[in-house]
Amino acid sequence: MLRLEDYLHIVGDEEIARILRKARKLYGRHFVHMNSTYHGGGVAEMLTTLVPLTNDANVDVGWRILHGNSDFFAITKQFHNSMQGADIRLTEAKKQIFLDTNRQFSIFTHIDHDAVVIHDPQPLPLIRNYQKTQPWIWRCHIDISEPNRELWDFLKQFIIRYDMVIISSDDYRKPDLPVEQRVIEPAINPLSAKNEELTDEHVGSILGNFGIPLDKPFITQISRFDPWKDPMGVVDMYRKVREKVDCRLVMCGSMASDDPEGYDVYEKTRERAGDLIDSGNVILITYESNIMVNAIQRAASVIIQKSLREGFGLTVTEGLWKEKPVVASRVGGIPLQIEDGESGFLLEPGDVEGFADRTVELLQDPELAGSMGVKGRERVRKRFLITRLLSDYLDLITDVLEARG
Ligand code: UDP
């Protein structure tokens, strides 16, 4: 059971006392988060910690999951991609499935909370199915700076009903959206199984269980098998790294239940890395385990995040927290986290050569890698830990309730 006191030694007394002061204003209030999966991906990752810690601060909060069938999730994944700019054939049938699933869910889900937080596009139209008597907030975790126009216009009719929209970066502000927009940066839980401290022995035994040898260094990308995470590009850059340094590549991507594209992209990545997998130099893992991710990130020499688009990129935060140098694309929320040349390196997503060169540089210079890691951890401690996120949510709920009067 997570307790706020457990964070005292990480963020200090003042920060925890400030959270408890903010929570007092919300005693007796009750609000709810809704998204579409309990596990897989960054949103579930944050809610898993945020919800119990909010309750521990004595502010009553629940978490509900929108249920949908595979058609629904295939469509909402297309929406997700298209909100980040991909093309879509937005047919009436797709819109209907999207709306019907939300309507069905609303029939058996009563909402009598003081405020509602809806995460991402899947449950977005729910707002239309209720007699709204409380503030509703749409928390958008993806990069919506250049969405597909047609889809954006379709979804805007729902977004406009919300009291506030929360985005992860100032760059995602929508001038054509007449709804108050606020930036809340995501965060990680330093005490979760994914981020807690592990001894070297423990790391070694976990990696042994998952068949990852430690006889030579390895680099890693931890990400769902998703075209936007560019797993093929990671294989390509690794081929170049290998020409200069003998190391392995470990790619880990569990399958999120709201992401039907995973198996297809995994298969393509496997084909791309075929010979390297056979020789044991590329290791692909689809098993889901937080402690395994923790161990991989801790044992890796360099962490890669070669995304083409990225809402925020919690995997970058996790890597930095573990004092690892991160070589990543200059997209989405990643530049908020990495100061280029200080806590890692930022590159254009298509710059395979650049990714390889920077990775080689770090593999060959452990001192540089170490000093970057130290700076990265400090940045995360100040700005991207779950206690700061909790504090921002308490402000948010207080503000929307006050605005209501
Ligand atoms: N993750 C995981 N196992 C995997 C792949 C990803 O636990 O095989 C976790 C990862 O550690 C991170 C989250 O899923 O906590 C991904 O969040 P991020 O913001 O990086 O990307 P998203 O999946 O939300 O696009």
Side-chain angles (χ1 to χ4, degrees):
M1 179 65 194
L2 293 176
R3 291 273 177 202
L4 278 165
E5 300 83 278
D6 300 337
Y7 296 81
L8 284 170
H9 71 286
I10 302 172
V11 295
D13 299 0
E14 184 46 47
E15 180 63 16
I16 300 300
R18 192 173 320 140
I19 288 171
L20 293 169
R21 273 199 298 276
K22 287 182 183 186
R24 279 180 203 125
K25 291 195 204 152
L26 291 170
Y27 285 171
R29 300 297 201 159
H30 181 205
F31 74 105
V32 64
H33 291 279
M34 289 203 208
N35 77 318
S36 58
T37 179
Y38 275 126
H39 52 86
V43 180
E45 181 72 24
M46 277 184 284
L47 289 177
T48 301
T49 310
L50 186 65
V51 169
L53 282 183
T54 312
N55 282 305
D56 189 48
N58 294 309
V59 179
D60 204 5
V61 64
W63 177 9
R64 294 202 184 150
I65 300 296
L66 172 72
H67 304 287
N69 61 19
S70 52
D71 285 346
F72 174 75
F73 287 120
I75 292 164
T76 55
K77 185 67 205 297
Q78 287 179 16
F79 281 14
H80 178 108
N81 291 342
S82 187
M83 287 286 267
Q84 300 199 132
D87 287 338
I88 187 168
R89 224 165 40 83
L90 189 58
T91 60
E92 285 309 311
K94 286 180 188 168
K95 290 182 192 170
Q96 216 47 57
I97 290 172
F98 180 58
L99 298 179
D100 285 350
T101 305
N102 273 275
R103 191 163 36 243
Q104 281 298 329
F105 180 73
S106 71
I107 291 169
F108 57 82
T109 308
H110 296 278
I111 293 184
D112 55 3
H113 302 79
D114 297 304
V116 180
V117 186
I118 296 290
H119 293 261
D120 278 345
Q122 298 92 338
L124 184 60
L126 271 184
I127 193 165
R128 222 175 56 173
N129 299 319
Y130 289 94
Q131 184 68 44
K132 180 172 174 291
T133 57
Q134 64 283 84
W136 282 56
I137 296 150
W138 185 48
R139 202 307 174 211
C140 176
H141 293 270
I142 50 189
D143 175 351
I144 47 167
S145 49
E146 288 168 41
N148 171 284
R149 209 59 247 176
E150 193 188 357
L151 180 68
W152 176 247
D153 286 340
F154 170 62
L155 295 181
K156 206 159 79 169
Q157 61 176 314
F158 310 109
I159 305 173
I160 216 157
R161 287 176 176 262
Y162 282 77
D163 296 68
M164 205 188 288
V165 170
I166 306 298
I167 44 184
S168 296
S169 158
D170 244 334
D171 295 343
Y172 303 162
R173 274 187 202 283
K174 306 296 296 175
D176 67 334
L177 184 68
V179 177
E180 186 178 345
Q181 295 165 51
R182 180 182 289 195
V183 174
I184 296 187
E185 292 170 342
I188 58 163
N189 176 11
L191 300 180
S192 68
K194 187 170 290 170
N195 296 309
E196 69 186 352
E197 300 297 325
L198 298 175
T199 61
D200 291 347
E201 291 73 29
H202 199 174
V203 168
S205 86
I206 295 167
L207 295 183
N209 290 341
F210 286 96
I212 302 172
L214 288 172
D215 53 332
K216 54 185 175 185
F218 71 85
I219 62 174
T220 188
Q221 173 163 297
I222 312 276
S223 273
R224 291 177 295 105
F225 284 99
D226 176 320
W228 299 101
K229 310 286 186 186
D230 196 18
M232 318 269 224
V234 176
V235 173
D236 294 347
M237 65 80 79
Y238 167 69
R239 280 190 194 277
K240 293 191 182 298
V241 171
R242 252 173 75 77
E243 288 166 11
K244 303 211 171 105
V245 182
D246 185 21
C247 63
R248 289 196 173 85
L249 166 66
V250 176
M251 293 178 80
C252 180
S254 63
M255 303 289 164
S257 59
D258 62 348
D259 180 2
E261 273 182 315
Y263 290 99
D264 194 32
V265 178
Y266 169 76
E267 276 308 322
K268 287 189 178 131
T269 310
R270 223 163 58 101
E271 272 169 35
R272 186 78 146 235
D275 55 317
L276 295 168
I277 294 175
D278 294 345
S279 63
N281 283 301
V282 170
I283 298 173
L284 300 189
I285 299 174
T286 56
Y287 189 81
E288 178 164 342
S289 157
N290 287 329
I291 195 127
M292 174 195 70
V293 168
N294 189 343
I296 292 174
Q297 287 168 332
R298 284 184 192 280
S301 298
V302 179
I303 291 187
I304 310 294
Q305 194 61 51
K306 201 181 166 303
S307 307
L308 308 177
R309 283 287 174 99
E310 190 61 73
F312 182 72
L314 283 176
T315 48
V316 171
T317 333
E318 291 159 4
L320 295 174
W321 179 245
K322 295 173 182 106
E323 298 198 350
K324 295 294 165 177
V326 182
V327 180
S329 303
R330 190 182 280 107
V331 296
I334 295 176
L336 298 173
Q337 306 186 57
I338 296 179
E339 290 168 292
D340 190 23
E342 290 291 314
S343 45
F345 289 116
L346 293 174
L347 293 144
E348 295 314 309
D351 185 3
V352 175
E353 205 73 48
F355 264 87
D357 289 348
R358 290 309 200 179
T359 304
V360 167
E361 188 180 338
L362 288 163
L363 285 167
Q364 289 176 337
D365 188 348
E367 212 166 288
L368 174 67
S371 71
M372 284 190 156
V374 170
K375 287 180 200 152
R377 181 176 168 102
E378 191 48 22
R379 191 167 173 82
V380 173
R381 201 182 63 76
K382 288 207 181 107
R383 205 162 142 181
F384 302 118
L385 293 185
I386 198 75
T387 38
R388 194 271 305 145
L389 185 66
L390 170 57
S391 177
D392 285 352
Y393 265 102
L394 295 176
D395 287 340
L396 172 69
I397 301 298
T398 306
D399 291 349
V400 291
L401 291 180
E402 273 175 11
R404 191 186 165 218

